Every structure is written in C-alpha cells, then in structure tokens.
Amino acid sequence: MNTQSTSPLAKVIAQIPWKAIFQRVPGIWLLFLFPFAFVGPVYAPALFGLYYTILHVMFLFNNLRSAYGMYISYNSAKLYSVTNWLKKYCDETGTVDGLDNRHDLPYDHVVHVILLPNYKENMDTLCETLDVLASHTRAVTQYKVCLAMEETEKDCELKAHELMKLYADSFFDITYTVHPAGRANEIRGKSSNVAWAASEMARRSGGGIHGRHEHEIVTVMDADTAFAEDYFAAVTYHYCVASPEQRRIMMFAPCTVFDRNAKDVPVFVRVTDIFWSIGVMSNLYASSPVKIPCSAYSVSMELAISVNFWDAGPEAIGEDLHMYLKCFFATNGKVIVKPIFSPASCANVEGSGEGISGWISGLRARYTQAKRHLWGSLDTGYAMRRAILSFAAPDLEPRIQLRNTTNDKDKSEKKSTYGYYALIILLYRLLETHILMGHLFLLISTSAIILPVRSAVSYKLSAYLWSFISSDPVHPYVELALNVSFWVRFTVIVPNIIMIWYYEKYHRYVGFERWALQDAQRKEQQSIYPGKRVDAKDAGDSQELAIARAVVQGHIAPSHAHLRVQHLGKRCSLESAREYPRNLFDWLTIPVAGFLFYVAPQFHAQLAHIFTNSLEYKVAAKPMLHRPQTEPLINITTVKDEKVDLEDTKSVSSKGDEGFFEEFEEDKFPFTESRSASRVNLAGIA
C-alpha cells in the first residue's frame, strides 16, 4: 500500500466507518421494507411496482441460471469421471509422464496440502474421511494432510497423535496444528482455525512463508467431506497447465452433493440442502465471471500467502465466500476460479433423539446452521466497502502485483485495470444471495393479503383489508406489476422442471452410478477371475458382463453403460439414494423449506446485525458412524500412560519439503497400485 501518494480526499473516504455502516444496511433495509409493503402501493405506487417487478425478474434469472448450471454440472460430472487427467496433461504439455521435467511444473511434483479443521469430531468420522483420501492412488506421494485441531478441545493433541500413528504410511505427510484459544480479533470457528493451520503449513514447508510454494495447493474440507480421486487429479491438471502467473491467483471450486444421510433427516432439511447444492452449481459454468466456492475448495498456496491467509474476525464467519472476496479484490477481480465437476460429498445436519423429538431437533439444528450461513450477509457489506475503497482509495487497499495472467501475449494486464463487469456481477450475486428471497417473500405475502386484484383467489379478504388502508382502488402501476409478476412466477415453472430433471440425474450419477461403474470395471473383474492374470480381451469381456449385470440390477442407467470411469477411490459408507416417485414429493416442500431455512434466518441475522456482528459459532451435528472394527483403535488413555513426546510426532512421515523433488523417482512409486494394505486395517474397510 502506497500511502504517500494518496490524495487527502481518499484518506477522508478511507476513514469513514464503512464496515459499521454496511453491516447495518441489510437490517435497516428490512425495517423500511415492512411498512413499505403495506403503504407503498398507496403512497409510492410507481416505486412499489418497479421494485416488485425487479425482484421477480431477478428471481426468473436466478432460476434460469440454476437450470443451466444443473445441465452443465450433470454433463460435466460425467466427463470428469471418465477423463484421464494425467494423459490429458501429457498430451497438452508434450511430456511423456508426470515426472517429465520438460514442463516447468511436472504433474507429479504438485503437493496437495489438505486441511481438515475439526472440533470434537467422532473418531470414526475422521477415520472414514482419511480412509477415503488414503484410497487415492497418489495419496502417498502428493497428499500432505493437516489435522487442524482446536486448543479448546480436551486431549486434541493426543487425538491427532492417534490418527497420525494410524495413517503414517498412507500419505506423503500427515501432521497437525493446534489453533490457540482466545487470540485477539478472532472468533471461534472454521475461518480462524483454517487461517492458523494454513499459515503454519506454509511456515513448515518450502523454506518458510517467504520460500518456494509454487508446487503447493491448499485444499480446505470439512471433517466429514469426501472427495473422489478425480477431484485432486483435475485440480492438478488445471494448475500444471496454467502459466506461473496464473497459478499465483488460482482457486478451485467443486460442485457439491448431499448423498450420505439425506434419507434420515426431515424432508425440509433435505430439500434445503439440495437447493444449497444447486445454488453452488448455478455459478460454476465456464462463462460465469464469478464462481464462488462453498464449504470445500482449493487455493494455491501462493495466493493464500499473498492475501495473508484467511481472515479470522466476525466478518469472515462464512470463510469460503469471504476468502473468495478477499482474493477477488486483492487481484482487481482477476482471481482465476476453475470449476471442478467432481463433487464434494457432504452430510446433512442431524439433530439428536428419535421420533418426533428427533425430527424437531433436526429442524432446530438446520435452523442454527442456516442462521450461520445467512450471517454471511456481512460479506455483502464487506464487498461494498472493498469496492468503494478500490476506486476511491486504491493506494490504501492491499493488492497483488500482477503481470500477464492471460494466455494472450498481445494483451498485457495494466496495473490499474479493474474487472468492472465481474464486479457488477459479483455485487448482483451477493444481493441475490442475501437480499432477494427475503424481500420477495415479504412483498408477495403482503400483496396477496392486502391488494384486492380481481384475478386473485383472496380477492374478498384483500378488499376488506384494503378498505382500512385506502379508499381508492389499487393504482394501475401496482396492478400491472402484480399481473406481470404473476406470469413471471408461472414462467419459472419451466426452468424449475429442467433444473429438477437434471438434478435427479446428477445426484444419481455422482452419488451412485459412477461408483457402480468403478465396481463393475475393477472389483467384479477380480471376482470373476480370482488369482488369474487376465488378458485384455478377457478383461473387456468381464467388464461388459459386470456392467450388464449392474444395469439389470438398476445400479447403472443403460445410457451410461458405455462409460469407463477412472479410479475414484473408496466411497463413504453412508449413502442415500433418491427413489422415484418419493423424490418428487421433496420438491413440493420448497415453499415451506425456503421460509424455514432461508427467509426466517435471513430476517433473524440481518436484524441482529443492527446491534452486533458477533455470532457464537456452533459446530453442526453430523451423522455418527459406529463401524465394526477388525482392530481396536488406540485408546487415548493408553497414549497418556505412554507419556508420548508430542513434539516428536507433529509430522509422522517427517519428509517435509527438503529434497522434495528428489523423492520422485519412477522406481519408488508405482502409481497404479494401491497402498491401502500398508497401513492399519481400520474398521472393516473393504
């Protein structure tokens, strides 16, 4: 930041308390909207009609984009699962394998620093997440797993030590960090834990924070998130084929799917999370100038270091969106976000108890999570503040100095150039996320009750109530807006049908069919020819037979029988298929679910922001796994008795980065073979 060249006016603008102002704007806007919904049609009919129509047009565009996003995500997910990303890399770079040094960053030199922030997580849940990662072909050569623990969890270091001992042979490196409690200007939660873990991992590798990190990609995932192997393979490909300058500003945003315990949660929770996934995918199509990651995502280590890692204050409670915004403004809107259509498998929030009490507990748990999500509307204010300062006081804003970040050598990036179009779309998407649905619900519900339009079903009731507000008929502008908006809502049915159609196909494919294809191609082949070396022809015949059997059993759609997926790794034990026609009932509950877990928590959060920006972070309850174990897990009390020196176990593999590139020798790591047998056999893993 260059403060010497800053004009006096810019300094004055920078001193305005924008943060406090914009924090309260959504709540104050709501307070004005409540009376406006009742008296606006009388005293400001043109403004009411205009705003009512604008909200409906935004709603239509949102649904059109969602339908298109689902179409793209479904077809791209199929393409991603069958793509050999290493071969694609070799074809594009002219190399012969992942170790070929003729390319400036060989495929096999990339290291994935995987952060697993967790707090009082069930041991089996953590083990399953690590089992899934360990089943990936390159886990032992490219994955550095960091167990991001919280100091406030009792015996967290002993827990980390236990996991590190179990998985010492499964990853290139496995280590842990402990986020200290009570740090100044921090809130308790995922953002502060991730910020601490990422900075610690940067210090421990590449010669420290100021060392070499161009080969490292940081992946943030929840303790119960599961990625198939093709996620990391695709990220590696996109990162390697990019230019060195592009790598400095790259993020990777996967689509999501709730395919684990959805059948065990209330229908309103299930359909809310479905729409959460659809919302993520609606902004991941290639031509979208704004691609916002959600929950699990990846960032180049260089970019994380350049923006001084994640923020840890109240404004960053939604750490995924906030980190994206931080990178967006630090790069003048030029941050490169690659959509990855190998989804993050997620679990729905669960309550406690059984029967009606358990059902109600599940709704309460989801509302708590929804309030935390909508607390992220603070990011709308953050974006507006950064946008104002980017133009009014650019020298006071932290920026990454960029050179050429495009593939077109004739178009150089100017230092002062800003992505105006991307900024406009960003602000629009934020308003759509944090403002649209609550305002639309309020105006539709009030207009249906008090505005006597003859075409409305509630005309008699509305005419009676209207008589208390005005003795005049409804203004023509207002009546026109109501009629136009009715047909807009009717038109929305078409993109909704398309969206539902492709979501059901997407959920079935990414949650089940691609795994069934993998089983049919590999596991079934082994069972047909036990202990026998199979030639290519017999292998092909066995795969055809296995796939045909899976099609007959309904595990694979006939239209997908020709697909040959790449290695995906291990699937999570929990699964929730969507069965016809029961799945259609879910979609009928959208209005109720939308009010319970979007509109109500939006009002709750934004009205609370008038008074505070602090929210007590509560970890969402997820399904508990109780897997049968072939070998007992290490008992923490036993570890205590052994008086283990924890300082000696902070990095079990102890490889570090020193001599990292020398570790890659073709005769040491046969990438096509599994390493799962080389570690402790946990919990009856197949």
Side-chain angles (χ1 to χ4, degrees):
M1 292 182 290
N2 184 7
T3 58
Q4 294 181 348
S5 61
T6 304
S7 67
L9 178 60
K11 291 181 179 180
V12 171
I13 293 175
Q15 291 174 357
I16 296 174
W18 297 110
K19 181 177 179 180
I21 293 172
F22 286 128
Q23 170 191 322
R24 292 163 173 81
V25 165
I28 294 173
W29 193 350
L30 264 181
L31 290 180
F32 277 101
L33 189 66
F34 281 108
F36 179 74
F38 289 91
V39 301
V42 179
Y43 299 103
L47 181 60
F48 179 91
L50 178 63
Y51 190 58
Y52 195 82
T53 304
I54 288 174
L55 290 177
H56 277 80
V57 172
M58 290 176 65
F59 183 61
L60 174 61
F61 285 163
N62 174 272
N63 281 268
L64 289 171
R65 197 177 70 249
S66 297
Y68 180 66
M70 278 314 312
Y71 167 77
I72 294 296
S73 297
Y74 166 64
N75 287 287
S76 297
K78 291 191 295 181
L79 179 63
Y80 266 58
S81 64
V82 301
T83 299
N84 184 328
W85 293 102
L86 176 57
K87 182 179 183 301
K88 187 175 176 65
Y89 159 83
C90 292
D91 292 342
E92 188 161 335
T93 59
T95 54
V96 295
D97 58 30
L99 293 168
D100 194 331
N101 286 317
R102 287 179 293 175
H103 187 60
D104 71 295
L105 181 59
Y107 187 94
D108 288 336
H109 285 188
V110 170
V111 172
H112 293 279
V113 180
I114 302 171
L115 307 182
L116 285 177
N118 65 97
Y119 177 70
K120 296 184 179 180
E121 294 287 351
N122 178 271
M123 196 68 169
D124 282 334
T125 299
L126 291 170
C127 284
E128 179 166 72
T129 300
L130 292 171
D131 286 336
V132 171
L133 291 172
S135 70
H136 297 176
T137 310
R138 285 178 163 75
V140 79
T141 58
Q142 290 183 284
Y143 292 8
K144 296 176 73 171
V145 176
C146 173
L147 304 168
M149 317 301 289
E150 288 281 2
E151 187 181 48
T152 51
E153 179 182 353
K154 184 180 179 182
D155 295 327
C156 67
E157 292 192 75
L158 297 174
K159 185 178 185 180
H161 168 67
E162 177 181 344
L163 290 167
M164 289 161 58
K165 190 171 182 179
L166 289 171
Y167 291 89
D169 298 326
S170 300
F171 302 106
F172 177 72
D173 192 11
I174 181 167
T175 183
Y176 76 95
T177 59
V178 179
H179 174 228
R183 284 167 56 85
N185 301 319
E186 283 193 358
I187 60 167
R188 189 169 70 102
K190 183 179 176 182
S191 57
S192 55
N193 194 354
V194 168
W196 178 263
S199 61
E200 284 296 297
M201 293 302 289
R203 289 187 180 94
R204 297 178 191 180
S205 65
I209 287 182
H210 301 294
R212 292 183 57 190
H213 298 279
E214 66 275 7
H215 63 290
E216 292 180 331
I217 303 171
V218 181
T219 295
V220 179
M221 51 191 287
D222 291 338
D224 60 345
T225 300
F227 278 119
E229 182 174 327
D230 57 344
Y231 172 78
F232 294 99
V235 168
T236 304
Y237 161 78
H238 286 297
Y239 189 71
C240 287
V241 299
S243 69
E245 276 299 306
Q246 289 175 324
R247 293 177 199 140
R248 291 181 59 216
I249 57 172
M250 290 189 79
M251 299 181 73
F252 304 89
C255 47
T256 59
V257 63
F258 289 85
D259 61 343
R260 311 268 277 282
N261 62 322
K263 66 178 184 296
D264 302 321
V265 300
V267 61
F268 305 119
V269 174
R270 183 165 59 247
V271 77
T272 299
D273 289 330
I274 287 175
F275 266 90
W276 198 260
S277 287
I278 291 173
V280 172
M281 290 180 278
S282 71
N283 84 134
L284 294 184
Y285 56 92
S287 59
S288 175
V290 172
K291 302 179 182 71
I292 301 173
C294 179
S295 184
Y297 53 96
S298 299
V299 185
S300 73
M301 180 66 89
E302 286 191 311
L303 178 58
I305 293 172
S306 297
V307 300
N308 196 25
F309 303 102
W310 283 251
D311 287 341
E315 209 172 30
I317 193 168
E319 109 292 338
D320 39 19
L321 171 57
H322 192 83
M323 182 59 169
Y324 171 79
L325 294 175
K326 191 175 184 181
C327 295
F328 180 93
F329 289 104
T331 60
N332 286 352
K334 295 179 176 62
V335 60
I336 298 171
V337 183
K338 290 290 184 181
I340 306 295
F341 293 100
S342 176
S345 174
C346 305
N348 304 84
V349 173
E350 286 190 355
S352 58
E354 298 179 354
I356 297 297
S357 63
W359 195 80
I360 295 174
S361 175
L363 295 179
R364 287 176 175 170
R366 186 61 182 86
Y367 183 86
T368 299
Q369 186 187 51
K371 185 175 69 172
R372 174 163 54 83
H373 289 163
L374 272 300
W375 205 265
S377 60
L378 290 170
D379 278 320
T380 298
Y382 173 81
M384 296 175 71
R385 172 168 59 89
R386 290 294 303 266
I388 289 174
L389 296 179
S390 294
F391 292 105
D395 294 329
L396 298 178
E397 284 289 279
R399 299 284 181 86
I400 299 175
Q401 297 301 315
L402 302 175
R403 293 189 290 274
N404 185 21
T405 57
T406 68
N407 288 323
D408 186 354
K409 296 181 180 180
D410 296 328
K411 296 181 180 179
S412 60
E413 299 286 351
K414 297 180 180 178
K415 178 181 176 181
S416 60
T417 299
Y418 205 95
Y420 296 105
Y421 176 65
L423 177 60
I424 293 172
I425 296 299
L426 172 66
L427 295 177
Y428 172 81
R429 297 273 176 89
L430 290 174
L431 290 174
E432 188 182 68
T433 302
H434 297 141
I435 300 296
L436 171 63
M437 294 309 299
H439 288 212
L440 188 63
F441 171 84
L442 181 59
L443 292 187
I444 289 177
S445 57
T446 54
S447 64
I449 295 173
I450 68 168
L451 296 180
V453 178
R454 292 191 177 277
S455 58
V457 176
S458 58
Y459 174 75
K460 291 185 178 180
L461 173 63
S462 299
Y464 174 74
L465 295 176
W466 179 255
S467 64
F468 292 96
I469 300 173
S470 174
S471 58
D472 297 326
V474 176
H475 195 282
Y477 287 167
V478 175
E479 190 164 1
L480 176 63
L482 294 176
N483 289 328
V484 169
S485 298
F486 168 80
W487 288 108
V488 169
R489 293 198 300 273
F490 186 80
T491 304
V492 164
I493 294 174
V494 176
N496 265 243
I497 292 174
I498 297 172
M499 176 187 69
I500 292 169
W501 171 261
Y502 280 107
Y503 178 82
E504 295 292 351
K505 293 168 72 69
Y506 163 83
H507 187 279
R508 176 178 171 84
Y509 181 79
V510 301
F512 300 92
E513 288 190 60
R514 60 175 181 158
W515 301 100
L517 285 165
Q518 176 180 248
D519 291 343
Q521 292 169 200
R522 302 184 181 185
K523 294 182 180 179
E524 290 295 327
Q525 176 182 322
Q526 295 173 3
S527 65
I528 293 173
Y529 299 95
K532 178 181 176 182
R533 183 179 179 85
V534 184
D535 62 32
K537 182 178 182 302
D538 287 342
D541 291 343
S542 66
Q543 289 178 13
E544 293 291 341
L545 181 62
I547 291 174
R549 184 184 298 115
V551 170
V552 171
Q553 294 172 345
H555 300 314
I556 300 173
S559 59
H560 296 154
H562 67 287
L563 298 178
R564 297 294 179 267
V565 299
Q566 299 298 307
H567 184 254
L568 302 174
K570 176 185 179 296
R571 195 200 191 285
C572 291
S573 57
L574 293 178
E575 59 181 46
S576 288
R578 293 183 55 75
E579 299 176 358
Y580 179 85
R582 177 189 169 189
N583 57 341
L584 298 181
F585 171 74
D586 288 357
W587 303 101
L588 299 178
T589 66
I590 291 172
V592 178
F595 174 77
L596 289 177
F597 303 124
Y598 208 104
V599 174
Q602 176 186 332
F603 290 174
H604 188 163
Q606 292 176 357
L607 292 175
H609 288 163
I610 298 174
F611 308 100
T612 182
N613 64 356
S614 297
L615 175 69
E616 182 183 357
Y617 190 101
K618 295 182 179 179
V619 178
K622 297 295 179 68
M624 301 286 285
L625 297 179
H626 300 287
R627 302 180 298 172
Q629 299 176 359
T630 56
E631 295 186 19
L633 293 173
I634 303 169
N635 193 302
I636 287 183
T637 57
T638 304
V639 177
K640 285 182 178 178
D641 295 338
E642 293 177 1
K643 296 183 180 180
V644 177
D645 185 357
L646 294 173
E647 290 298 320
D648 293 336
T649 63
K650 284 191 176 180
S651 183
V652 168
S653 72
S654 69
K655 294 184 177 70
D657 267 356
E658 186 175 352
F660 168 79
F661 293 113
E662 287 76 5
E663 294 284 348
F664 288 94
E665 297 179 15
E666 293 186 36
D667 58 341
K668 287 187 178 179
F669 300 111
F671 293 119
T672 57
E673 297 180 3
S674 172
R675 302 93 48 239
S676 58
S678 65
R679 62 179 173 84
V680 179
N681 183 18
L682 285 172
I685 298 170

